[in-house]
Amino acid sequence: GPDGDIVAHEASSGRRLWSKKYESFSGRPGTNGSLVVAGTIEGALIAVDAETGLENWRARMSSEVISAPVVSTDTVVAMANDGRTHALKASDGSQIWAVDRGVPLLSLRGNAAPILTSNSVIVAGANGTVTALALSDGRPIWEQRIGVGEGRTDLERMIDIDGRMVLLNGDLFVVGYESGAQALTADAGRTLWQRDMSSVSGLAAGSDGVFIAASDGAVWALDRRSGGALWKNEVLLHRMLSAPVLMGDYVVVGDLEGYLHWFKRADGELAVRTRLGDGGFGDGLVVVDDTLYAQNRDGSVGAFRLRN
């Protein structure tokens, strides 16, 4: 949280296991199960033990880290807000490499979380590009532009990819603000399809489709292979939706007033809603097995399961 607390709760009951006070955090944590890593507003990356909350190490970043770092067994990858991608050793936080891709004069506040593959890290930039970097040394493997800004002013031409990307069975699905939605091959960055679309929160993808919370609040389902529209629901227009997540036969989004909404994946019908606190969710929804865990911006944390 922004007050500097990291808190661990028992997943089944919500019982507090431990709580530690650090500096003011700027984004949600990433973890590999044993190490928890989060960035601070002052530009530090702090790694703590998942069992105790005690600090293992800290490293200085080039600027604050807003998106969740990605943590593997031996590597931590974090996107700084100035456009630099940092790779560090998970054991001690020492830097392996850093790549500066820059940022345009105008961009949204935020960064898409990186995606790790066996030999690369995929990152999205505030200039509307997606790049695969070699995990070993940070050299570029491929780069693809997602949309081209159009208009007479810098504001009109602004495109940015801040929302959640998804890698599924070798295909990478991306959507950005005024950049469109696109499917790419993860190994070479080759475009499979693209569609006119705008989203600041990102998408979810499954075998039955790609689900997008658009900038205007519409929820879309697109065909995974072609990008064609399967359904669209506009019941939540202008409610600043979170990144969607998949939960069984449903796609779930949160809105700016703390409501969580379950839509049927088959036809987009709104099935149920409930409320958690009073704030929006951003990228704060995670599904593990049959449980949805949610944290919103007012600090409320909850776990939800569907009943018949």
Side-chain angles (χ1 to χ4, degrees), residues 206-237:
S207 59
D208 56 335
V210 178
F211 303 89
I212 297 175
S215 300
D216 63 1
V219 180
W220 289 78
L222 305 181
D223 184 89
R224 181 187 159 199
R225 296 300 181 187
S226 68
L230 301 175
W231 53 258
K232 177 185 180 183
N233 192 310
E234 297 182 307
V235 71
L236 301 179
L237 288 181

Side-chain angles (χ1 to χ4, degrees), residues 260 276 281 284-286 292-296 300-304:
L260 295 163
L276 175 70
F281 293 91
L285 307 184
V286 178
L292 168 71
Y293 300 95
Q295 178 185 5
N296 65 21
S300 300
V301 180
F304 302 86

Side-chain angles (χ1 to χ4, degrees), residues 65-187:
V65 177
I66 298 176
S67 62
V70 179
V71 188
S72 69
T73 303
D74 51 10
T75 308
V76 176
V77 178
M79 282 285 296
N81 205 37
D82 62 359
R84 289 181 174 89
T85 304
H86 299 260
L88 306 97
K89 291 182 180 179
S91 58
D92 59 10
S94 59
Q95 184 167 282
I96 303 172
W97 51 261
V99 173
D100 184 3
R101 300 174 61 247
V103 293
L105 292 177
L106 278 180
S107 66
L108 300 178
R109 176 174 168 79
N111 301 112
I115 294 178
L116 289 185
T117 71
S118 59
N119 59 4
S120 69
V121 53
I122 300 172
V123 296
N127 58 357
T129 60
V130 176
T131 307
L133 305 171
L135 190 55
S136 58
D137 57 12
R139 60 182 172 79
I141 300 173
W142 57 259
E143 182 168 283
Q144 181 66 263
R145 177 167 290 278
I146 311 297
V148 178
E150 298 179 349
R152 300 179 60 184
T153 68
D154 289 339
L155 183 61
E156 291 174 332
R157 292 190 296 269
M158 184 176 67
I159 57 176
D160 200 345
I161 304 172
D162 287 340
R164 181 185 296 155
M165 304 182 290
V166 173
L167 179 62
L168 181 64
N169 297 331
D171 295 336
L172 178 69
F173 301 96
V174 183
V175 65
Y177 175 74
E178 300 297 341
S179 70
Q182 197 159 323
L184 312 168
T185 59
D187 59 347

